[in-house]
Amino acid sequence: MKGAAAEVCVVPGFLANGIHAGIKEKPQKDLSLIYSTEPAQAAAVFTTNAFKAAPVLLDMERIGSGRAQAILTNSGNANAATGAEGYRDARAMSDFLSRRLGIPDDLVLVASTGVIGHRLPVRKIDRAMGRLIQGLRPDGIAAAEEAILTTDRFPKIAARKGRIGDRPVTLCGIAKGAGMIEPRMATMLSYVMTDAAIEGAALDAVFRQAVAESFNAVSVDGCMSTNDTAIILANGRAGNPPIRRRSKSLAAFREMLCGVLSDLSRSMVRDGEGATKLIRITVEEARTAGEARKIAYAVANSSLFKTACFGQDPNWGRIIAAVGSAGIPLPVDAVAVYFEDIPVFRDGRGLSGSRRALSKIMEKADIGITIRLGTGSRSFCLHTSDLSYEYVKINAHYHT
């Protein structure tokens, strides 16, 4: 289940809502709530940026318990670079919700996204809390998703259904993110809800693996944010035998989770600020996976390569220049570059392939590029986007 079907996703035991609280000047939803009717197993991954936003610092303290029941998010204000006052505001935001829901404060996780450097309008959030809670409903996930968006052009929802043992299990994920997209993690928020019963250690391990293969395998502009947060809640309502780290059922759960996160991460790249193309870069025949990854990112984060893709130019010279800049010794004559299945560089020189066929490839919205290094058997694949005039326009006007 994905695409349009995912937009009406309902996960047993979860309620959600999104409203306009007045944080954004325009009458757009800007306050989001995801609520499990019972405490859930929880795991999370956060930005590694040294300047972590206040809600990230608070959540990092709370996630250690491995339990959570609610995720409260505001958009339009990042509550980042706001000092001790910002941390108190994040705690106040949590307290507003926990008191009204009647749940322990440490079971509330909070997140913020938007402009950096401004105090959070906590009074507006407090005044809106009653409406937010009153509107909680099983089919409110789409509203919760809408309320976390900032410069996104479209919502990002993905879902999977499967079976663990003889019990049906549902996973549904939402995300926001369009600019400052770079791993560890991207400028993104993402929440996954599932009714699967799974032990905390297994949930944490499988979530980190899935994040590594999805959110940490994309790049829009090579910039890391201060607020990146990905959270998964598993409330166990499916009633399946609890999944453990050595359970056979862990593989089935992992496949569903990876499917959800992969859909969301590709949607973020496709929605990259001003992006017109989704580009898949696959590095093959590397000595190590780490070398393959480093080279893939060198290409993906090359402004010259990205602008060439926007201009629909199959400029292999930009690619090999980026590959060679990664600081990894390479046998130049063994490196080959392909646009889809058309070789454009091999044996140390460019190839005079079909210009018409290459033009057709570059006109597509989805482009696949393969780089073979000829040094080993390891590989790495990531997704990136092109760099357009619109990206500059959006970010020239997005200020603190």
Side-chain angles (χ1 to χ4, degrees):
M1 177 173 58
K2 54 185 177 179
E7 295 177 6
V8 292
C9 180
V10 173
V11 183
F14 283 93
L15 307 174
N17 191 24
I19 63 170
H20 175 62
I23 302 167
K24 294 177 179 175
E25 293 183 5
K26 295 181 180 179
Q28 300 171 331
K29 290 183 173 68
D30 53 19
L31 193 62
S32 166
L33 175 59
I34 292 169
Y35 174 60
S36 175
T37 55
E38 54 198 281
Q41 295 285 0
V45 179
F46 303 100
T47 181
T48 59
N49 196 304
F51 292 94
K52 294 176 176 63
V56 172
L57 295 174
L58 180 60
D59 288 355
M60 289 177 70
E61 295 172 5
R62 292 183 172 178
I63 201 65
S65 72
R67 305 285 283 175
Q69 195 167 357
I71 306 171
L72 178 62
T73 305
N74 75 272
S75 59
N77 184 308
N79 193 12
T82 47
E85 295 85 356
Y87 183 80
R88 288 195 293 270
D89 290 343
R91 290 191 65 98
M93 187 173 164
S94 167
D95 181 62
F96 298 152
L97 182 67
S98 64
R99 284 190 288 105
R100 287 175 171 85
L101 284 176
I103 65 174
D105 193 44
D106 59 6
L107 291 182
V108 177
L109 301 176
V110 297
S112 300
T113 182
V115 178
I116 290 173
H118 295 272
R119 287 285 301 277
L120 200 62
V122 291
R123 291 185 179 180
K124 291 182 179 180
I125 293 173
D126 189 18
R127 288 196 297 265
M129 202 59 64
R131 285 190 295 120
L132 182 67
I133 294 171
Q134 188 175 19
L136 284 169
R137 58 194 188 277
D139 62 349
I141 290 175
E145 157 69 2
E146 183 182 348
I148 68 175
L149 305 180
T150 52
T151 60
D152 305 64
R153 292 176 294 178
F154 55 81
K156 299 159 186 69
I157 303 177
R160 293 290 189 280
K161 283 185 178 291
R163 299 189 77 84
I164 301 294
D166 62 351
R167 308 296 297 180
V169 168
T170 301
L171 288 89
C172 181
I174 65 175
K176 65 81 55 181
M180 290 185 76
I181 299 292
E182 168 75 343
R184 304 179 306 274
M185 288 178 348
T187 186
M188 50 153 287
L189 302 177
S190 182
Y191 312 130
V192 179
M193 297 139 277
T194 180
D195 59 347
I198 179 170
E199 288 192 340
L203 184 66
D204 183 70
V206 75
F207 189 56
R208 290 180 182 278
Q209 291 168 6
V211 166
E213 295 174 14
S214 55
F215 297 136
N216 280 351
V218 297
S219 181
V220 167
D221 49 17
C223 296
M224 185 193 297
S225 176
T226 54
N227 290 61
D228 313 327
T229 300
I231 300 169
I232 184 168
L233 300 181
N235 65 15
R237 285 285 294 273
N240 58 283
I243 303 168
R244 297 178 172 83
R245 294 191 71 170
R246 291 177 175 82
S247 299
K248 292 182 179 179
S249 55
L250 183 61
F253 182 81
R254 183 182 187 278
E255 183 178 357
M256 288 189 286
L257 178 59
C258 286
V260 168
L261 298 194
S262 292
D263 285 352
L264 294 174
S265 63
R266 285 194 296 269
S267 292
M268 287 193 302
V269 176
R270 195 180 298 279
D271 194 22
E273 291 171 340
T276 67
K277 300 185 185 300
L278 176 68
I279 306 162
R280 183 184 70 257
I281 300 173
T282 305
V283 177
E284 300 177 342
E285 300 178 4
R287 271 183 293 262
T288 67
E291 289 189 353
R293 180 187 181 94
K294 187 172 183 180
I295 287 174
Y297 272 105
V299 176
N301 290 334
S302 164
S303 297
L304 294 176
F305 163 72
K306 294 162 78 69
T307 51
C309 289
F310 175 66
Q312 300 185 0
D313 176 15
N315 194 328
W316 54 264
R318 303 303 196 197
I319 296 174
I320 64 167
V323 170
S325 73
I328 296 171
L330 294 170
V332 174
D333 291 344
V335 175
V337 178
Y338 296 78
F339 280 78
E340 302 291 359
D341 59 351
I342 299 177
V344 294
F345 178 85
R346 193 165 54 198
D347 299 325
R349 59 175 61 85
L351 304 175
S352 54
S354 169
R355 290 188 178 182
R356 178 173 295 183
L358 286 172
S359 293
K360 288 291 185 182
I361 289 171
M362 299 308 295
E363 289 171 2
K364 297 194 309 182
D366 291 17
I367 299 172
I369 293 171
T370 300
I371 304 161
R372 294 177 181 161
L373 303 181
T375 59
S377 60
R378 306 305 295 272
S379 63
F380 182 78
C381 177
L382 67 78
H383 289 83
T384 189
S385 61
D386 59 343
L387 193 60
S388 69
Y389 307 127
E390 190 66 16
Y391 179 88
V392 177
K393 181 178 178 181
I394 290 169
N395 285 283
H397 296 284
Y398 198 86
H399 57 82
T400 56

